[in-house]
Amino acid sequence: MNQLYKKVVVGALTFGGGSILLCLLTFIHINQGNVSLPLSTVVQAIVDPANLIEHHTVRVLRLPRAVIGILAGGALAISGVVLQTVTKNPLASASTLGIHSGTYFAVIVTTIYMPFALAANGIITAFIGGILTFGFVYILSGGNDATPVRMVLAGMIVTFLFSSLTSMLQIFYENETQGLFLWGSGTLVQNDWNGVQFSLPFVAGAFLLLLFYAPKLDTLALGDDVATALGQNIRSVKLVSILAAVLLTSVTVSVVGPIGFVGLVAPHLIKLIGYRTHFPLMIGSFLWGANVLLLADVAARIIDPSFSELPVGAITALVGSPWLIWLVLRMKQASNTKETGSILAGKVAVNLPLKKIIPILSVIILATVAVSMSSGNYGFEPLVAYDALFGGTNEFMRGFIIDSRLPRSLVALLSGAVLAVSGLIFQGVLRNPLADPSVIGITSGAGVGALATMYFFSVSAFWVPIGAMTGAFVFFLIVMALGAKAEFHPTTLALLGIGISAFGSALIQIMVVQSELGVASALTWLSGTTYARGWSEILQFLLWPILIFIPLLAFYIKNLDVLSLGDEAARGLGLHVVYVRFQLALLATLLAACSVAAVGSIGFVGLIAPHFSRLLVGSANQKLLPVTMLIGGFLLVVADLFSRTLLAPNEIPSGILVALIGAPYFLWLMKRRSV
């Protein structure tokens, strides 16, 4: 009897309380706007409308926005339930598996190159993009043999890849994609009932289909072997369920843009209450998914009382990314797995001595800088550059090279070197081959600090690196605290870092919108760029870290070799592990912050350069330090060169080019380690 009473109470609170909360949030949501309306007016506009401006405001503008929030939140939650069951992955959702990024990229491509195919709000192209993305992530992560962390890690890196491609297209086709920046961050803004009328049949149809499939999903949750033994055609069930889940995601993306983490938060809320069978789980998830999204939109307009429309996707990320971090830590504790072994990505391929490799790399870098100084909108002009520098016949060109092209190349060289060294330290300190300032969230924190300093405190450029360092240090402390809880397990720490990066990116999105920064300039800065960088960035942000931190690091670098042996062995050799790890990681954080202050958020240099260096000179960190600096600098100089010349006179942000190389490399490295 007590058990039955408890179930009734829990059900009443879950479904009855959720329904009451949804009604309350809907009324609050409808009453938000530039003009405050009495509750009686809102009620009268709904139940007994008249030809009044207040009633039209409620029925045509505010009510459709609330209804689309309910539909979108419920659809994303149902999609999350299905994806978690089919993939046997409690971390799965449309955002963590990269489906959102694939649908968004497909819509952007169609908008630019095939606008005639945007019929029905672009749902067809969004659906195709979502299905292809899910298939890619599913296969890449190992299919049925994929671990939850591996699958989500693959999904997040695919998201980085598509985000880079999407940002590049939006920068080059700003007019064609005008208005898509806010939509791309997720927004419930509706000007009429068209969005609701379009999405309602798809959401209702897919929801009813999945409710009909609820018993089959219950069987599937027991395992493929059990489901097959009970007579289920698991391939058919999985195919139909995935198509329905991706359809729900595609509908929401085509109407309100990619809104992340709702499909992660809402299903787990219902599961924590105790529901496991899919019929009540899906109904409860729909209800609470709607609550989560409406609450996020209400909060967005409370945070910004000017009603300049904060992206609701940024608010859900602020809530969802800590939720993801909590789930990852919970899974790590449940699995109780420990990571041991070396940080090496593979065997040494060459093992060249420093006296050979350093001169070779130096010559290659000098040649690349020379090519960069000779390249511009008119192509490769070495004779013109030589004459300007040494002939003295073209003073304009000489000044242009000395004051623009040369310092820009040096900024790229020094920034790349600093980022590469930061990645080398993090990989050694955390014994994590996947560590990189961008992957574990440090770069995102530096970006938050730098942007907050520039656009909220309105201080001089002198304070920007201080803001970047402050933000990086705060995120560094968070990473280290979470890393300690995760026992510094490499893939778990990488996933935690991605969650932290998502939180930082949400803060950055909010600041970009509130500061009314231009879309193209915002995307360029967020992607990382060497455009218009010169001598001032070298003197203010890059020269002193090279002169102070690198010599200091050269003195302590041998401690990384000791840490690579494992904590117990390092303690046995007399090393104060916690103290040394914190010192070196703090040094790496400061280096990354200086780079962000100079060129913005450029990722993956700190991932690629150390690994490539190990292939050349082995694993000894004293040898790796100079080689990693040179390779990191070379990578960013090459990226800077191609950013100016590949699509001249248009310019691609250097960070996007590096991400297009780094994301596939990360996926290859993850696959090679079979994490």
Side-chain angles (χ1 to χ4, degrees), residues 349-664:
V350 182
N351 200 15
L352 292 172
L354 287 182
K355 63 182 181 181
K356 288 185 179 180
I357 192 65
I358 289 180
I360 291 172
L361 289 174
S362 299
V363 170
I364 292 174
I365 289 173
L366 288 174
T368 307
V369 171
V371 171
S372 181
M373 289 193 298
S374 304
S375 303
N377 292 343
Y378 298 102
F380 182 50
E381 300 175 310
L383 295 179
V384 173
Y386 181 85
D387 180 66
L389 289 173
F390 302 106
T393 59
N394 191 337
E395 287 297 326
F396 172 78
M397 194 65 186
R398 175 185 174 87
F400 184 69
I401 292 175
I402 296 297
D403 296 329
S404 179
R405 290 182 182 175
L406 176 60
R408 176 170 172 166
S409 295
L410 292 178
V411 167
L413 177 64
L414 297 178
S415 295
V418 164
L419 280 176
V421 172
S422 180
L424 174 67
I425 301 172
F426 277 123
Q427 289 173 20
V429 165
L430 304 176
R431 298 199 305 278
N432 184 350
L434 306 178
D436 167 83
S438 61
V439 173
I440 63 174
I442 302 299
T443 301
S444 179
V448 170
L451 204 60
T453 302
M454 286 188 288
Y455 295 106
F456 282 103
F457 298 103
S458 301
V459 295
S460 65
F462 171 81
W463 295 97
V464 171
I466 297 176
M469 288 180 185
T470 302
F473 181 71
V474 171
F475 276 52
F476 156 74
L477 292 177
I478 297 172
V479 168
M480 294 300 287
L482 294 174
K485 286 191 175 182
E487 299 175 339
F488 295 102
H489 184 280
T491 49
T492 303
L493 185 59
L495 195 55
L496 291 172
I498 289 172
I500 294 169
S501 294
F503 185 83
S505 297
L507 293 176
I508 289 173
Q509 280 184 338
I510 291 172
M511 286 189 283
V512 167
V513 172
Q514 284 197 318
S515 61
E516 298 181 351
L517 191 62
V519 171
S521 58
L523 290 172
T524 300
W525 190 89
L526 292 175
S527 302
T529 181
T530 48
Y531 176 74
R533 302 301 192 266
W535 296 112
S536 60
E537 282 75 20
I538 293 175
L539 296 174
Q540 292 177 15
F541 308 137
L542 298 172
L543 188 60
W544 59 271
I546 296 289
L547 296 178
I548 298 175
F549 293 154
I550 299 301
L552 185 64
L553 179 61
F555 181 75
Y556 286 105
I557 194 71
K558 59 184 178 181
N559 289 330
L560 285 181
D561 293 322
V562 181
L563 285 175
S564 67
L565 301 175
D567 288 359
E568 294 299 326
R571 289 191 187 97
L573 293 172
L575 193 69
H576 195 306
V577 172
V578 175
Y579 181 69
V580 171
R581 177 175 280 141
F582 185 87
Q583 271 191 330
L584 291 173
L586 178 59
L587 191 58
T589 299
L590 295 176
L591 289 170
C594 291
S595 175
V596 172
V599 296
S601 302
I602 294 181
F604 295 109
V605 172
L607 177 72
I608 300 172
H611 285 298
F612 195 73
S613 300
R614 292 188 188 97
L615 296 177
L616 295 177
V617 298
S619 60
N621 284 286
Q622 287 176 307
K623 295 173 67 177
L624 282 172
L625 179 60
V627 176
T628 299
M629 285 183 63
L630 292 174
I631 291 178
F634 170 73
L635 282 174
L636 205 49
V637 169
V638 171
D640 173 66
L641 172 61
F642 283 124
S643 73
R644 293 191 294 108
T645 59
L646 204 58
L647 296 176
N650 294 320
E651 183 162 326
I652 308 171
S654 304
I656 289 179
L657 288 179
V658 176
L660 294 178
I661 300 170

